[in-house]
Structure formats: structure tokens, C-alpha cells
Amino acid sequence: MLINREQQRVIDEVEQNILLLASAGTGKTNTLAYRVAHLIEGGYAKAENILCMTFTNKAANEMKDRIQSLVGSPAKAVEISTFHSFCFFVLQQEGKRNETLYTDVTIFDEEDCKELSEPYRPGKLREMSFANIIGMVKEYRSLYGFYSDDLVGDYKRTIDRLQKEQRPAIEQQFSSFGNVLYSELHDFLNHGHEWIAAYDENLASVHGLDFTDLICGVHRLFQDPVVRERWSSRYSYISVDEMQDTGVLEYKVLEMLWEGNHVLLCGDYFQTIYEWRGSDPFRLLKQFDADFKPLKIIFYENYRSNWTLFTMAFKTLQNMFPDLVGSIYTELPRANSERKGKPVLIKGCKNSYLEGRYIYEAICALPKDANIGVLVRDNKKAQRLSDSFERLNNEKAEDERRHFMIIDEFKFFRRQEIKDVMAYFKLLMNPNDSVSAKRIIKRYVAGIGDARIAAIESPETRQVGLKLTDFMDMPIFEAEPYAKLVSGLENHEVVVYDVESTGTDTSQDRIIQIAAIRIDENGQVLETFERFINPGVPVGQSEEVHGFSDAYLKEHGEEPAIVLQAFKEFSKNAIIVGHNVNYDVTIFTNELARHNLGNPEFKAIYDTLDIYRRFYPNLPNHKLGFLASEFPINHEPTHNAMDDILATSQLLIYAVKENIVPTTTGRMVAINKYKAAFTNIASQMATLRRKAYTELPTQLLAYIMNQMGVLEYYKSHGEVAKVEHIRDLYRIMEKLDAAYEGPAGLARLNQILQMAALTAGEPAQQVRNEDRIPIITIHQAKGSEFDHVFLAGLNEGTFPSPFAIAEGREDEEKRLFYVAITRPKQELTITFEQTNIRGRAVQPSSLLNYMPRDPELVERRY
């Protein structure tokens, strides 16, 4: 790659913060990759101390590939991720310390979240609007800093303040065809705080987080100076791409990482197309400029498009935003290529049918291997074009047809059949995921209807400590769920334990203390185990949490294998109990594996966090410290492992005596009433769980399809196309599995689930029929490029969107148009209809008026 002057400045600058303004096609990704290579090879930073944020997973993968091609294996240590992926990583890492966040937490996309929020949605309010208002309240709770243990109160304060300061924004979500739904709005203003808190509790009960929780959760964690310092000191060089699409709360989270580090923000004012999601680039970049005094660098040279396309796009931009363009660019941008291409063609077609035919025939005139994209403003237009192309294909011989792929709002991982199959995997990783359990039951399990599910999820059943997911697991068929715990206390088999470690990554960090007590039925301590380990690695910042220094562990710590083996013997055939115990079990299991000591030999595992969430779902929170103050126990947890387990043991005894034993009969009645219907699926899930520890994800998928009745279901329902999509999933999993380098077993599967959740909002991966031509919205096309672009549906009333105009977002529609016309490298064709479906005349988009009148740049045929 030839490096120009501005790019070289970005690569070489290692001291100052940088504000980089880089428009489409200016070589930004390559430049950032070369900069990272320069930082590593020049010794300015270790790879693990470099953080690169991108807007999409596609961009993250491109960045990884380019850096790896430059520096090889060290690139793997560079943290390259989307903002949501980074937040999820932080929450997972901090799960042990944040006691109310389960360490097996999973991400629920908006489709899954509908299930959990639907009971509270006002009748006439659209699902999307309700999701938006929930997200808005959650974000503003964080922005207002309303963090207390009273979740309902926090949300009430937030909504009351929003009502005063953001009333128009709230009313916008309660609008239907231009009219405000005042009855629904009134209900929300009076009860919305209760609804959102109940929705949050539903999420917590299934060990889930929504996308807003990822940001809000990290923002809250970073309020703690110790946590914030732990993460900001982890990195020395941070770059954030597509900064113009960052929301205010996202910016505040990032800002807390920047102090003392070298920061590069990269963006383009004119590609801001997510203001409706809360991005505010002018304000945020101005704030960055004031706070960090960055070096401003502008990329002027365009490498993507030929001279004609580049000149057309820039002149259009000048016409749309003359003052802003003049204030940003101190010199005129230029095309690197002097090669001229065809003028942009704007073609008026008599009607929608002829528009589709014109585009189809123009595509057929291009070589079959041409790189083509069909761009539209909305999915409705995409669907109409797809239908037209399908009809036109039927007029041609098979070898002359062109195949298209519509990339709709739901994308690959949001297809019903993909979500249904992925539900099996999600339930494997998170046995509390009732949303996935219901998906499986409703689609593939005969004899369990909505009435039975509702009965199991009723308050009466929940009051005896049962959940739907309990019936998807074999233990409930073998004994009453708490029988082993109660008898274990009587037989003195219960061991309450906790570990302290060098960090919160269960696969990488090391245990430094194991503390455990064996107790009787009254909570009396019968036997104590407390040993320290010299981990052989520095404890780092974890010392601030547990208080044990490297020097202390060197003096008092033993060899890891000796202590681990000793605790394995101490806990053999024990009933293990802990608060958020999954972390402690997982890291202990991984440590045993690291030292070739086999697996733990526990008889059963119980979590006091889960117990108290079941029996006391409406508490403000379920942290160990809060529970210790709320219930009549006489021991205070301190984050020392021994102190924490003494408090946990007393909470356990209280719950057993007050909740578990008194509800035993009611629990058995409910189990006997419902369990027969679940026998087969529970047995299948047990087999799947066993396989998950040894088999590849693709093998698990084959078992689900062939042995658990999924393939037979789709064949019997005549839905063979859905089977093809599941085969696509198999191919994706195959590719991911080949690239995966972590530990085998469930960790491998978890990586795939994270990818599915975090890419659910991105365009589908083309895993078969790679020659299919995408029909894609402009929002989805951002970051993509094609040799030939057909931009369809440029009619007034369609593009610009009438909703955007009504909401005063006309400038955003202009920027969206600019994004569209900067996607092609060789040729651009723009089409519109002249009459609508009723035969009435319709106007071309007013956006076309901003395009230059020079016939060398734009040809108009209408």
C-alpha cells in the first residue's frame, strides 16, 4: 500500500491524541492497521495494551485480518471489537465482583426481549416503540446518575425528570399516525417505572441482559474509581472508529477509559445516519476537542471511486451542506484515480414494475461475476424489488438467471428457524433461559400448550420455587429439587465455598485463596478449609479487591497443585453452595484441568443468589451484602473469602428453614402435575448437555437436527427452505470452529453464541451461493462497497423518509443519501417511479436536486 502524507502522520504520531476526519474510501482501515503495527513493532505498546473499537463486527474482522497480515501472531493479542462486544467482555470479567450479575449471563436480542416485556406493553403502543422507550429510560437513568439499590425508585425519578426535560421525545414514541396515544402515555408516566423494573427482573431471572444493559452496566461499574482504573490502565493506545455513530452514553463510557492514554477518534460528520438512535457527533467531537486537545488530521485523498463518481459525490455534498463542508475542509478533497467513468445515470421509470425490470436487465447486461449491490431506503422497497426480480427470473432459462439475496431487518440470526435451533444452544449455556425453553417447546415439543406453560409460570408455581426451565432438566425427574440440599445438611455434606483470584477471567486467571466450611443443619461450622496459593503470576490490581499482595502469597501461598488436590478431596461428594457460585465452580474446574487433576467430584451445586431470586424476586437487589443486611443473620461479608462464606451459610440456613422446607409439598404437587409432558425433551437435553463437553458445535447441531426431531418437523410441515438456512448455520459454525483457538467444550460453543447475539443486527453472512446479489438498505450497506450500485426508489415520500422529515431529521436523510452515493467504485444508477400503484403521478426525490447539473457527471433520463 502506498501511504500518503496525511496517512503517514496518523501512523507515526504516538504522543498526541488524534481527531481523524476520514470520509468514505480514504484508506482509513489500512491506515489504522498500519498504525497498530507501528505501535507494536516500534515498541511503543504491547499488543494486549491496544484497544480498537469499531461499529460493526464486519469492520472488526477486517481490522483483525489486516493487522495480522502486517505483524503476524502478535495481532491476536490486540483487543479489536465492537462497542457492545467490549461492554459484554467487561461485564463478564466483572461478574464475580458484581454479585447480582450471573457469570453465565447471556445477551437477549430485541426479539427475545419482546417476550419478557410484552406483559407490560400498553395495548396500542407498537412493540418497537415500547422497546425504544425502555431503552431511553434505562440510558437516561445512567446519564442522570440515578444509581441506588431501589430500582423502581430510580426509574420513577428518571421518568419524572424525562417528563420535564424530554417530553417531546417521549411523546414521539407514543405517536401513532401523527396522533399521540395520550391514554397509554398517561399510564406510562404513572406506572412505567414499575413496568421497566419488572421487565428487568424478568431479564435477571433468565440470567439475561439486553443491549442497553451492556452499556448501562459498564457505565455503572465505571463509577467505581477502582474498577475504572483497572480498565483504563489495561490499555495505553485506544482508537475508536465511526465515532459519528456513537451515542452520548457510549461516549461517556469511552471517556472514562481515555484519561492518561493515547486516544484516536476517527469519524466523518457526513456519514452520521444514526441520530435517531442518539448519536450526536458535533457535540461529542467538540467535547473531545476541548477535553483532550487532539491533533486534527483530515484525509483528502479518495481511493475507492473513479474520478467521475468521486467528483459527483463531493459536489453533491457541497450542495447539501455548503457552510459545513467549507468549515471542515481547508483544501478540496481529491480522487486518487484520474480515470473517468460513466456519468451517474438517473432513470425515471413509468411504474414500479418497469423500475424493477430496468434494474434487472441492466444487471443481466453486466458480467456474471460483477460485484453488484442494490440499495434501497427501506425494507418494503427491498421486498418489492425481490418479488419483481423473482418473476423476471422465471422468464429466463436457468443459466441466464441472476440470483438475489434480500437482507431484511431480521437478518440471518433473527430468522425464526435459526433462533429456534440456537435456542437449544442457549439453553445449554444458560439453563435458566426460559425464553429459549419456550421457543423449543412451542415449536418442537408436542403436548405442551400455552395453558400449561402459563400454569407453570404462574405466581402459585413460582412461590414454591419452581421455574419452567426446571422441567427441561433431568434432576427434577429423579428427586425433589432441594432434596439433596436438605438431606446434605442433615448428613453434614454441605460445603459452602468461595475463591479469590488474580482476576475475573475463569479461563485465564488463577486462584489465590480457597476458603470453605462444612456445616450442619443449623449452620454450625463443622470443618474449615482455608489455604492460600502462590499463583506464579502477579496479582496485579486484584489486590485492591482481596487485599493479598504478591509478597504475602509468596510467603503464605502453597503450590497450586497441592491446594487444588486438597480441596478436591475436601469437597468430594459434597453438596456445594456459594453466592453466584458458577464463577467459583468454573475457575476451580479450569484450574484442575490446567494441572491435570481431573474434574471436581461434587454431588450437587446450589446457588444462594438463585435461591433468593426465586423466593424473593422483588427485592431491590440480591447482592450478598444487601441480603446480609435485609435478613436476620449476624455476619457481614467483606470480600474476604472466609467472611463471605460465613454470611452465605447463614443466608442458606434461613432460606432452607423459611422457604425451601415449608414449600416442599407444594413443589412436589406441581412437579407431579407437569413433569410427564417434559420427560422426553428433558432426556434429550440431558444427552445434549453430556455431548457438549466433548463434541464440536457442528456435531451438536447434527444431533439436534437428526435425533431431536427438528429436521423431521420441517419436512412434515413442508418447510424445506428453512432446512437450507439451518445448513447455512452449520457452515457458519464450521468456519467459526476452524478459526477458534480457545479451550474445547462449552467455551467453544459460548463463543459462537456471543457472535450470534452481537451480530444479530448486521447483514447476513453469504455462506452459500456466493454469486447472489444483495438487496440491502443503505443503513445496512454502510461500510460496504460495490463496483456497480443500483440505488432504487428515489421518490419523494419514500426517500427522504416522511417520518424523518416530520421529526425534523432532514439533514440526516441528506447524509444517508451521501452514504448511498459513495458506495460504488465504478458505476452508479439511480431509479425512481413516475406513477404509483394507483396510477397517480409521483415526484422524484428532492435529494436528486442536490446532484450536480454537469452532464459529464450526471445524466438524467426523465
Side-chain angles (χ1 to χ4, degrees), residues 411-686:
K411 315 191 183 60
F412 182 77
F413 283 107
R414 294 184 187 177
R415 288 183 179 277
Q416 166 259 308
E417 62 273 20
I418 300 302
K419 286 185 69 65
D420 288 347
V421 171
M422 292 295 283
Y424 285 98
F425 296 130
K426 291 177 72 175
L427 195 58
L428 278 182
M429 294 304 303
N430 177 1
N432 295 278
D433 183 354
S434 64
V435 175
S436 292
K438 278 186 271 195
R439 272 192 170 275
I440 294 167
I441 292 166
K442 289 180 178 180
R443 188 74 57 187
Y444 307 118
V445 181
I448 305 175
D450 290 341
R452 182 163 291 179
I453 291 173
I456 293 172
E457 293 191 317
S458 68
E460 293 75 19
T461 308
R462 290 196 65 175
Q463 282 169 7
V464 298
L466 287 176
K467 298 194 294 189
L468 176 67
T469 49
D470 295 332
F471 292 88
M472 300 287 279
D473 209 354
M474 282 307 292
I476 205 169
F477 298 90
E478 298 160 0
E480 192 274 326
Y482 295 103
K484 288 182 180 179
L485 176 60
V486 174
S487 65
L489 284 168
E490 294 170 352
N491 298 325
H492 303 168
E493 297 172 333
V494 170
V495 169
V496 184
Y497 100 110
D498 188 26
V499 305
E500 296 296 342
S501 55
T502 59
T504 51
D505 186 336
T506 57
S507 63
Q508 300 297 325
D509 287 311
R510 310 300 169 89
I511 295 174
I512 56 111
Q513 180 193 22
I514 300 179
I517 53 175
R518 190 182 301 275
I519 60 174
D520 66 13
E521 62 272 28
N522 296 312
Q524 294 299 310
V525 178
L526 304 173
E527 193 177 357
T528 300
F529 182 104
E530 185 174 21
R531 306 267 286 269
F532 290 94
I533 293 174
N534 183 356
V537 297
V539 297
Q541 292 178 327
S542 67
E543 182 182 348
E544 296 165 1
V545 177
H546 50 64
F548 302 119
S549 66
D550 290 331
Y552 181 91
L553 294 174
K554 189 172 183 180
E555 181 180 350
H556 297 91
E558 303 174 64
E559 285 292 318
I562 294 172
V563 179
L564 293 167
Q565 181 62 41
F567 184 68
K568 183 179 177 182
E569 291 298 323
F570 183 87
S571 60
K572 187 174 183 177
N573 295 323
I575 310 297
I576 291 293
V577 176
H579 199 72
N580 208 357
V581 74
N582 186 57
Y583 172 87
D584 306 275
V585 170
T586 304
I587 195 169
F588 178 60
T589 303
N590 289 339
E591 283 275 52
L592 289 178
R594 183 178 290 117
H595 294 279
N596 300 311
L597 296 174
N599 291 310
E601 298 177 23
F602 306 147
K603 185 181 287 186
I605 301 169
Y606 290 90
D607 188 346
T608 49
L609 174 57
D610 178 69
I611 290 170
Y612 275 82
R613 276 203 182 280
R614 285 174 184 251
F615 288 102
Y616 299 96
N618 298 319
L619 289 176
N621 72 70
H622 296 81
K623 290 183 179 181
L624 188 59
F626 177 82
L627 296 176
S629 65
E630 187 76 5
F631 291 90
I633 71 170
N634 56 15
H635 200 89
E636 183 179 345
T638 65
H639 267 305
N640 173 279
M642 185 56 73
D643 286 336
D644 287 357
I645 59 175
L646 288 169
T648 301
S649 66
Q650 293 184 26
L651 283 168
L652 172 70
I653 297 302
Y654 181 87
V656 168
K657 290 182 176 180
E658 298 296 322
N659 305 108
I660 292 173
V661 171
T663 56
T664 301
T665 301
R667 203 158 41 250
M668 288 304 301
V669 169
I671 290 169
N672 291 330
K673 185 175 182 180
Y674 301 121
K675 72 177 185 180
F678 289 86
T679 305
N680 190 47
I681 183 62
S683 175
Q684 290 177 330
M685 287 302 300

Side-chain angles (χ1 to χ4, degrees), residues 137-147 216 219 249:
V137 172
K138 285 188 172 192
E139 286 202 17
Y140 271 94
R141 178 199 178 200
S142 294
L143 289 170
Y144 293 154
F146 291 160
Y147 292 129
C216 296
H219 183 262
L249 186 61

Side-chain angles (χ1 to χ4, degrees), residues 139-209:
E139 286 202 17
Y140 271 94
R141 178 199 178 200
S142 294
L143 289 170
Y144 293 154
F146 291 160
Y147 292 129
S148 77
D149 289 334
D150 181 6
L151 184 65
V152 177
D154 286 350
Y155 282 142
K156 185 173 192 323
R157 290 167 67 200
T158 302
I159 292 172
D160 288 347
R161 184 166 165 183
L162 279 172
Q163 184 180 2
K164 295 173 185 173
E165 299 178 3
Q166 303 283 341
R167 178 79 182 210
I170 295 176
E171 288 189 356
Q172 182 181 316
Q173 297 302 330
F174 284 85
S175 293
S176 177
F177 300 101
N179 298 313
V180 177
L181 302 170
Y182 283 107
S183 175
E184 281 76 8
L185 175 58
H186 181 267
D187 285 348
F188 172 77
L189 294 176
N190 285 285
H191 301 288
H193 56 289
E194 298 164 355
W195 300 341
I196 300 175
Y199 161 72
D200 276 355
E201 180 53 43
N202 282 350
L203 264 175
S205 71
V206 296
H207 297 203
L209 294 172

